[in-house]
């Protein structure tokens, strides 16, 4: 086949670029996992990836800030900043010694997160890993998520264990061997 008989396709006509491709790939992987092993198990698999991402991101921020550990204020700033960098729209709703409450108006996965609540484990584990590594403990509750059809997300990062923990709370602890 000669070059003359193979017309060029303009990229804009297809609407496919790396970001959309990778988000769709993650959506399909999460959907396949949810269909094959169920939501709980799929969330578990994605949690493993989220924990690894959390450790990597935490290390990058601590290196950039030249600190061994982030303070609570730095943790909340980092959580908002990292989501901004990947096109989320997270913001602090409330911050106390005991918890950081975040809202979100735009998921980094965009509309592709709809129907894929297992992808929210990325947020839970990245937030939980960063908070726990720096502050010793984190309990993350995903009160509302765009993936479940809400207009906004509400994520609560508890900074102290509670005797009356919510059933949906995922707990994270500092790893002694992490730097």
């Amino acid at each position: 086949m000669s070059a003359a008989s193979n017309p060029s396709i303009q990229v804009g006509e297809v609407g496919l670029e790396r970001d959309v491709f990778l988000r769709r790939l993650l959506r399909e992987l999460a959907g396949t996992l949810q269909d094959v092993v169920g939501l709980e198990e799929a969330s578990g698999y994605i949690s493993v990836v989220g924990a690894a991402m959390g450790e990597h991101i935490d290390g990058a921020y601590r290196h950039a800030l030249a600190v061994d550990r982030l303070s609570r204020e730095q943790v909340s700033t980092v959580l908002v900043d990292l989501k901004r960098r990947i096109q989320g729209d997270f913001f602090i709703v409330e911050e106390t010694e005991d918890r950081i409450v975040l809202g979100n108006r735009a998921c980094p996965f965009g509309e592709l997160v709809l129907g894929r609540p297992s992808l929210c484990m990325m947020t839970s584990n990245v937030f939980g890993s960063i908070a726990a590594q720096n502050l010793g403990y984190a309990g993350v509750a995903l009160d509302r998520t765009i993936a479940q059809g809400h207009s906004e997300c509400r994520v609560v990062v508890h900074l102290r264990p509670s005797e009356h923990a919510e059933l949906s709370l995922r707990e994270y602890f500092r790893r002694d061997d992490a730097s």
Side-chain angles (χ1 to χ4, degrees), residues 102-103 120 141-148 150-155:
L102 300 109
C120 298
L142 302 171
D143 289 351
R144 289 190 305 267
T145 67
I146 294 169
Q148 294 173 322
H150 295 100
S151 61
E152 294 187 349
C153 299
R154 178 181 163 93
V155 180

Side-chain angles (χ1 to χ4, degrees), residues 39-52:
L39 177 58
E40 190 173 327
E41 291 295 320
S43 295
Y45 286 116
I46 293 172
S47 292
V48 173
V49 176

Side-chain angles (χ1 to χ4, degrees), residues 45-141:
Y45 286 116
I46 293 172
S47 292
V48 173
V49 176
M53 291 295 295
E55 287 182 26
H56 172 74
I57 293 168
D58 177 51
Y61 275 97
R62 287 188 291 120
H63 178 76
L65 295 169
V67 296
D68 290 331
R69 299 260 187 251
L70 301 172
S71 68
R72 187 193 79 247
E73 294 81 8
Q74 288 172 317
V75 166
S76 62
T77 299
V78 162
L79 300 182
V80 171
D81 184 68
L82 76 89
K83 288 296 189 170
R84 178 191 57 78
R85 290 173 185 267
I86 60 173
Q87 298 180 7
D89 187 17
F90 279 72
F91 55 94
I92 302 296
V93 173
E94 172 189 340
E95 183 176 354
T96 68
E97 292 293 320
D98 295 332
R99 68 186 194 158
I100 303 167
V101 180
L102 300 109
N104 175 42
R105 294 173 286 249
C107 181
F109 293 109
E111 73 284 350
L112 297 176
V113 78
L114 293 172
R116 299 298 191 265
S118 61
L119 287 173
C120 298
M121 289 300 101
M122 290 298 293
T123 295
S124 179
N125 280 271
V126 169
F127 282 11
S129 295
I130 292 171
Q133 265 321 109
N134 291 285
L135 306 174
Y137 170 84
V140 179

